[in-house]
């Protein structure tokens, strides 16, 4: 998206997929932002080992000029970043967030950065779940896309962050969706809480994305009558078949309330009842989500 179009959307709305046939969601920046996440704690260096017999001077962490790098956000299309190569893999139980204004994002450890993840963004997506550790590095899920569906693989985006650039906290909760078994569950500290067995998902031509993702943002949109005042839980992953939706260059999926919430009837979002959306919206941003077909 050009800078002019990005500015226009950021000043107005982000359009995302709805489960109400041809309707669209509008995310207004004037809405009340989500509550602050708990104060994170510094993630330890994974390469450090205690020693009582010798000391050494640490190797300085390279710094980079981040101004020329593309920003990782819901609008981003960054071919240099990989999509998730293990979509049903485990999460580490941690989420991270940049410790400064922004953190460089790498396609692989040791290379040059190809993007930048801000600490704060109007559409959130800056508290991200860890899916792999290496010494001095964490691999995370990210918002945005590597490609639009017409140009390549639009699956869940990933990237690497240096541990020195982020702070972390434990988050032992995740959402599990199983479409064929008709169940949505919250798994909290190893305990399964059944949320609902009555929900709707994407039609064959606009399927709900499968695999790993995370809660990018939670917003309430009172102007959208069909939500009945319930919040919308927006996910990091976008449509596998739609480049954009409703005239926008994004096609974000979400959990949301709708009176009709049963069967394959949506444009990719997951429709649920009132009790289910209340439970899902209470989870913090960064919460891992896995959707099984």
């Amino acid at each position: 998206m050009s800078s002019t179009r990005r500015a226009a959307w950021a000043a107005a709305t982000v359009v995302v997929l709805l489960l109400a046939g041809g309707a669209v969601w509008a995310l207004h920046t004037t809405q009340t932002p989500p509550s602050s996440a708990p104060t994170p704690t510094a993630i330890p260096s994974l390469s450090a080992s205690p020693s009582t017999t010798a000391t050494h001077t640490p190797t300085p962490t390279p710094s980079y000029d981040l101004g020329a790098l593309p920003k990782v956000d819901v609008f981003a299309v960054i071919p240099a970043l990989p999509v998730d190569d293990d979509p049903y893999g485990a999460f580490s139980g941690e989420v991270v967030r940049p410790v400064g204004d922004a953190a460089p994002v790498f396609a692989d450890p040791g290379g040059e950065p190809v993007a930048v993840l801000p600490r704060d963004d109007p559409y959130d997506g800056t508290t991200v779940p860890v899916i792999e550790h290496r010494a001095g590095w964490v691999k995370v899920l990210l918002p945005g896309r590597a490609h639009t569906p017409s140009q390549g693989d639009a699956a869940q985006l990933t990237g690497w962050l240096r541990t020195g650039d982020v702070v972390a906290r434990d988050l032992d909760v995740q959402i599990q969706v199983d479409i064929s078994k008709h169940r949505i569950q919250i798994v909290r500290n190893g305990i399964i809480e059944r949320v609902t067995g009555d929900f709707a998902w994407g039609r064959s031509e606009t399927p709900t994305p499968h695999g790993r993702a995370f809660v990018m943002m939670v917003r309430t949109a009172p102007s959208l009558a069909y939500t009945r005042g319930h919040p919308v839980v927006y996910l990091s992953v976008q449509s596998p078949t739609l480049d954009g939706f409703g005239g926008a260059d994004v096609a974000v999926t979400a959990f949301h309330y709708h009176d009709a919430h049963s069967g394959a009837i949506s444009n990719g979002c997951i429709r649920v009842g009132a009790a289910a959306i209340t439970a899902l919206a209470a989870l913090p941003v960064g919460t891992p989500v896995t959707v099984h077909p």
Side-chain angles (χ1 to χ4, degrees), residues 175-193:
I175 302 167
Q176 293 281 342
V177 179
D178 195 312
I179 293 174
S180 64
K181 294 181 179 179
H182 291 192
R183 69 186 183 197
I184 299 176
Q185 301 176 142
I186 295 173
V187 183
R188 196 190 314 263
N189 298 317
I191 299 172
I192 296 174
E193 306 169 16

Side-chain angles (χ1 to χ4, degrees), residues 161-205:
L161 302 171
R162 300 177 300 187
T163 56
D165 294 328
V166 297
V167 290
R169 61 184 174 90
D170 294 334
L171 185 63
D172 194 4
V173 63
Q174 58 182 280
I175 302 167
Q176 293 281 342
V177 179
D178 195 312
I179 293 174
S180 64
K181 294 181 179 179
H182 291 192
R183 69 186 183 197
I184 299 176
Q185 301 176 142
I186 295 173
V187 183
R188 196 190 314 263
N189 298 317
I191 299 172
I192 296 174
E193 306 169 16
R194 187 175 178 86
V195 174
T196 186
D198 183 20
F199 63 95
W201 58 92
R203 302 188 301 270
S204 59
E205 62 270 26

Side-chain angles (χ1 to χ4, degrees), residues 10 17 21 30 45 49 62 65 74 86 88 90 93 114 120 128 146-147 158 162 174 221 247 252 269 278 281:
L17 291 179
T30 57
S45 170
S49 58
D65 179 6
V74 66
D86 186 16
Y88 299 102
V114 296
D120 298 294
V128 294
H147 305 276
T158 69
R162 300 177 300 187
Q174 58 182 280
V252 181
C269 290
T278 298

Side-chain angles (χ1 to χ4, degrees), residues 209-273:
H210 300 154
R212 293 187 290 198
F214 66 94
V215 173
M216 179 179 69
M217 178 174 62
V218 180
R219 290 287 191 277
T220 301
S223 63
L224 303 178
Y226 37 79
T227 67
R228 308 288 190 187
H230 295 287
V232 183
V233 179
Y234 298 94
L235 303 183
S236 59
V237 68
Q238 300 191 37
S239 171
T241 60
L242 300 174
D243 286 1
F245 193 77
D249 291 340
V250 291
V252 181
T253 55
F255 294 103
H256 72 83
Y257 175 85
H258 196 283
D259 289 344
H261 51 261
S262 183
I265 59 175
S266 85
N267 286 316
C269 290
I270 298 176
R271 296 181 182 179
V272 296

Side-chain angles (χ1 to χ4, degrees), residues 4-254:
T4 300
R5 297 180 69 191
R6 177 186 291 269
W9 278 109
T13 61
V14 178
V15 180
V16 301
L17 291 179
L18 279 190
L19 296 180
V24 295
W25 282 104
L27 305 186
H28 297 279
T29 58
T30 57
Q31 291 165 357
T32 304
S35 57
S36 298
T39 302
T41 56
I43 189 168
S45 170
L46 301 181
S47 60
S49 58
S51 173
T52 58
T53 59
T55 60
H56 66 280
T57 301
T59 302
T61 301
S63 60
Y64 300 96
D65 179 6
L66 304 182
L69 296 175
K71 183 175 76 169
V72 175
D73 63 10
V74 66
F75 301 100
V77 179
I78 307 175
L81 286 173
V83 299
D84 192 2
D85 60 2
D86 186 16
Y88 299 102
F91 292 88
S92 75
E94 298 167 289
V95 292
V96 298
R97 187 181 180 199
V99 69
D101 292 338
V105 182
F106 301 76
D108 56 79
E112 293 295 310
V114 296
V116 59
L117 179 67
R119 177 173 173 81
D120 298 294
D121 188 81
Y123 304 107
D124 291 338
T126 62
T127 297
V128 294
V130 176
I131 57 174
E132 186 178 340
H133 284 276
R134 291 188 191 175
W137 296 86
V138 287
K139 188 178 184 181
V140 298
L141 302 186
L142 296 166
R145 296 178 285 187
H147 305 276
T148 57
S150 65
Q151 299 298 316
D153 191 346
Q156 173 62 54
L157 198 64
T158 69
W160 289 89
L161 302 171
R162 300 177 300 187
T163 56
D165 294 328
V166 297
V167 290
R169 61 184 174 90
D170 294 334
L171 185 63
D172 194 4
V173 63
Q174 58 182 280
I175 302 167
Q176 293 281 342
V177 179
D178 195 312
I179 293 174
S180 64
K181 294 181 179 179
H182 291 192
R183 69 186 183 197
I184 299 176
Q185 301 176 142
I186 295 173
V187 183
R188 196 190 314 263
N189 298 317
I191 299 172
I192 296 174
E193 306 169 16
R194 187 175 178 86
V195 174
T196 186
D198 183 20
F199 63 95
W201 58 92
R203 302 188 301 270
S204 59
E205 62 270 26
T206 54
T208 298
H210 300 154
R212 293 187 290 198
F214 66 94
V215 173
M216 179 179 69
M217 178 174 62
V218 180
R219 290 287 191 277
T220 301
S223 63
L224 303 178
Y226 37 79
T227 67
R228 308 288 190 187
H230 295 287
V232 183
V233 179
Y234 298 94
L235 303 183
S236 59
V237 68
Q238 300 191 37
S239 171
T241 60
L242 300 174
D243 286 1
F245 193 77
D249 291 340
V250 291
V252 181
T253 55

